[in-house]
Amino acid sequence: YLIIEVTDTSPQREHDLKAKDYASSKIADYWLLDVNIRRLYVLREPTQEGYQSKLALSESGIISPLHFPNLSIAVREMLPPVSAQ
């Protein structure tokens, strides 16, 4: 139903390859959480060539998985806390 990948260092090329593989496998909902820039990328509408729908959410965003639309998840809740320095 859903793949959530968490990254802090992986190159974009690696994510692009994975996204194409997931899309060709018909994974309807692929989320990539980048903890360094505190952003969630949501990829949907898979085809053999990749995902047709791509959305970027900031840490203040809220998202619902496609197969669980009654569940609302705040991006901030998926991120590590910001340390005060």
Side-chain angles (χ1 to χ4, degrees):
Y1 296 114
L2 169 67
I3 291 178
I4 302 174
E5 183 176 347
V6 179
T7 185
D8 67 349
T9 59
S10 299
Q12 183 61 41
R13 185 174 157 290
E14 180 181 324
H15 297 300
D16 291 343
L17 291 172
K18 286 182 184 179
K20 187 170 182 179
D21 287 342
Y22 295 151
S24 66
S25 297
K26 298 186 181 3
I27 302 297
D29 221 355
Y30 170 43
W31 299 0
L32 178 62
L33 183 66
D34 189 323
V35 296
N36 284 333
I37 61 172
R38 303 183 69 79
R39 187 168 304 267
L40 177 67
Y41 297 95
V42 179
L43 291 83
R44 293 177 169 165
E45 299 176 25
T47 68
Q48 289 300 316
E49 291 77 40
Y51 285 93
Q52 300 303 302
S53 173
K54 299 175 184 177
L55 173 68
L57 297 173
S58 68
E59 66 181 292
S60 63
I62 297 174
I63 187 77
S64 296
L66 287 174
H67 290 282
F68 303 96
N70 294 330
L71 176 66
S72 294
I73 302 169
V75 174
R76 183 174 284 119
E77 292 175 0
M78 295 188 282
L79 291 165
V82 176
S83 60
Q85 296 192 21

